[in-house]
């Protein structure tokens, strides 16, 4: 059975790979699992047919036979549990990799999303300019601790894992509108290592192809 993902027919990031189908595509590419993609307009995402798969009317979803999942953390973990390569074999290493996945989603991603939301939707507010340094500072605290924890290691904990997929994709969201990552050369090198992975490149190219096809270039 070939799993099917949903993704934006017209991603607002214009092919930068920041929408969350990219992290699911990446996990599938890492484990060598072919997949299909159903593209959705914003209107279709809010239709009952899609909300039956995703209660909040978002992308991505993941369907495999009679299993339908939403939430990228759950989807990527499901993929990692069913294929070799994204979770260590030993129980403690596996638990630590999953911990990093949750750290990306619950500790690092929230301030990054708060900032992204402010840049997208609050630019015209009178308090926007005053608020941005506070949002930057919250991210700066997280990046400093993450940088210290990563140190000169290649990946967060031993071999590349689901924790790295989630962390890298979370950090990439910062890049278009902020220079905060530049304060940590080891985080920049971490992202470069991840983006050099053939599986990441295939995932990135696949989502870019959607944008290119829909924009006629
Ligand atoms: N917690 C969920 C998960 O991890 O699966 C969040 C899913 C989610 O936020 N989906 C977004 C969505 O469907 C797309 S990826 N949004 C439409 C809606 O809620 O109506 C988030 C995203 C959107 C845009 C950019 N961008 O333009 O750079 C990047 C990431």
């Amino acid at each position: 059975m070939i799993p099917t993902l949903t993704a934006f027919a017209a991603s607002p990031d214009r092919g930068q790979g920041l929408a969350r189908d990219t992290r699911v595509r990446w996990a599938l590419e890492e484990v060598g699992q072919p997949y299909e993609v159903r593209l959705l307009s914003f209107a279709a995402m809010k239709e009952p047919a899609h909300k039956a798969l995703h209660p909040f009317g978002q992308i991505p979803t993941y369907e495999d036979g009679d299993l339908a999942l939403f939430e990228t953390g759950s989807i990527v973990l499901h993929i990692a549990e069913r294929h070799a390569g994204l979770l260590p074999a030993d129980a403690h290493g596996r638990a630590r990799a999953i911990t990093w996945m949750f750290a990306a989603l619950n500790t690092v991603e929230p301030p990054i999303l708060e900032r992204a939301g402010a840049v997208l939707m609050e630019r015209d507010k009178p308090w926007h300019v005053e608020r941005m340094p506070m949002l930057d500072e919250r991210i700066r605290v997280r990046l400093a601790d993450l940088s210290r924890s990563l140190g000169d290691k290649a990946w967060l904990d031993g071999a590349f894992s689901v924790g790295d997929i989630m962390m890298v994709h979370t950090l990439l969201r910062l890049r278009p509108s902020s220079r905060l990552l530049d304060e940590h050369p080891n985080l920049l090198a971490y992202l470069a290592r991840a983006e050099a992975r053939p599986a990441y490149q295939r995932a990135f190219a696949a989502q870019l192809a959607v944008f290119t096809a829909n924009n006629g270039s």
Side-chain angles (χ1 to χ4, degrees):
M1 191 65 83
I2 297 199
T4 300
L5 314 183
T6 52
F8 284 132
S11 180
D13 76 350
R14 304 177 61 80
Q16 291 180 89
L18 303 175
R20 292 170 187 225
D21 56 295
T22 300
R23 55 180 73 166
V24 178
R25 292 174 186 268
W26 184 9
L28 289 164
E29 292 288 355
E30 288 284 350
V31 301
Q33 170 64 56
Y35 61 95
E36 288 170 357
V37 180
R38 191 167 65 250
L39 300 175
L40 297 175
S41 65
F42 275 90
M45 284 161 54
K46 306 305 172 192
E47 292 290 334
H50 185 63
K51 281 197 166 175
L53 292 173
H54 195 309
F56 307 110
Q58 297 183 310
I59 60 96
T61 55
Y62 172 97
E63 293 157 80
D64 191 9
D66 58 7
L67 176 68
L69 296 175
F70 61 98
E71 284 299 330
T72 51
S74 164
I75 296 169
V76 169
L77 183 56
H78 175 79
I79 293 164
E81 281 177 334
R82 269 145 197 83
H83 301 268
L86 289 178
L87 282 171
D90 71 294
H92 284 187
R94 188 184 176 88
R96 287 196 304 271
I98 294 170
T99 298
W100 275 114
M101 210 180 87
F102 278 95
L105 294 173
N106 288 349
T107 304
V108 177
E109 193 163 50
I112 292 177
L113 288 185
E114 188 72 18
R115 186 185 191 284
V119 170
L120 271 176
M121 292 174 296
E122 296 170 0
R123 274 188 185 281
D124 58 341
K125 305 289 184 209
W127 33 260
H128 176 71
V129 172
E130 235 180 301
R131 186 164 185 249
M132 286 309 285
M134 182 189 76
L135 297 180
D136 281 349
E137 190 49 31
R138 287 182 189 157
I139 297 171
R140 202 172 261 119
V141 168
R142 290 291 185 252
L143 295 186
D145 286 335
L146 181 66
S147 168
R148 193 162 35 257
S149 178
L150 180 67
D152 59 3
K153 301 196 295 285
W155 307 115
L156 290 168
D157 190 305
F160 178 83
S161 80
V162 281
D164 295 296
I165 289 182
M166 280 302 168
M167 191 62 79
V168 166
H169 196 248
T170 292
L171 295 176
L172 288 176
R173 184 82 189 265
L174 267 178
R175 220 165 36 186
S177 67
S178 148
R179 309 296 303 265
L180 288 167
L181 285 164
D182 296 354
E183 296 171 14
H184 301 285
N186 68 334
L187 293 183
L188 292 178
Y190 174 59
L191 295 184
R193 249 186 322 275
E195 289 180 292
R197 291 179 75 85
Y200 176 83
Q201 290 183 6
R202 288 193 295 273
F204 183 87
Q207 65 75 38
L208 180 59
V210 173
F211 174 74
T212 306
N214 289 341
N215 284 271
S217 53

